[in-house]
Every structure is written in structure tokens, then in C-alpha cells.
Amino acid sequence: MAQLQAAKASGVSIKNAILKQQYESLKPIKLSDQTLYKAKEKLKNIKTACNNATFLPILQYKSNPTSMAIRSLFERCDI
């Protein structure tokens, strides 16, 4: 406790020191090529499903608030 008080009195940022210590102890995560390939395939499937969903019958009515909301979500969804 006395060391913390001394460090604080000398102007050392205890928060930054602790964060720096924790950051230095982190190790990078390595994923296998197979895991990355599966994740990319899932993203492709999701993107295909989103593109196919634009042909929903509800989206053919332009004045419907529900169709307008769904259409705006599709426009903002970039995968």
C-alpha cells in the first residue's frame, strides 16, 4: 500500500502502469487455416441469404412501413 501511495505522490499513473503490464503479457491468437476457411464460408452463406431475401413478397409493396424498414436494414448490412 505504501508503494502505491509513493508512486501516486511522485506523479506516476498507476492505471497506465497496470494497463501497460497487462497489455505486454497478452499473446497473439493464432487460428488454423481450416477455422478461417470455415468462417469465410459461413460469411459467404449469410451474404447469399441476404441477397436472396431481397425478393421477399413483403418488399414488393413500396408504401408499407415494414417493407421500408426491412429495405433500409438490407442497405446498411454490408458483410
Side-chain angles (χ1 to χ4, degrees), residues 37-49 79:
Y37 178 77
K38 286 180 181 180
K40 287 179 183 179
E41 288 298 316
K42 286 182 182 181
L43 285 174
K44 285 181 187 177
N45 291 340
I46 291 170
K47 187 173 183 178
T48 304
I79 296 175

Side-chain angles (χ1 to χ4, degrees), residues 14 26 29 35 58 60 74:
I14 297 171
L26 294 176
I29 298 173
T35 305
I58 195 167
Q60 296 179 10
F74 281 135

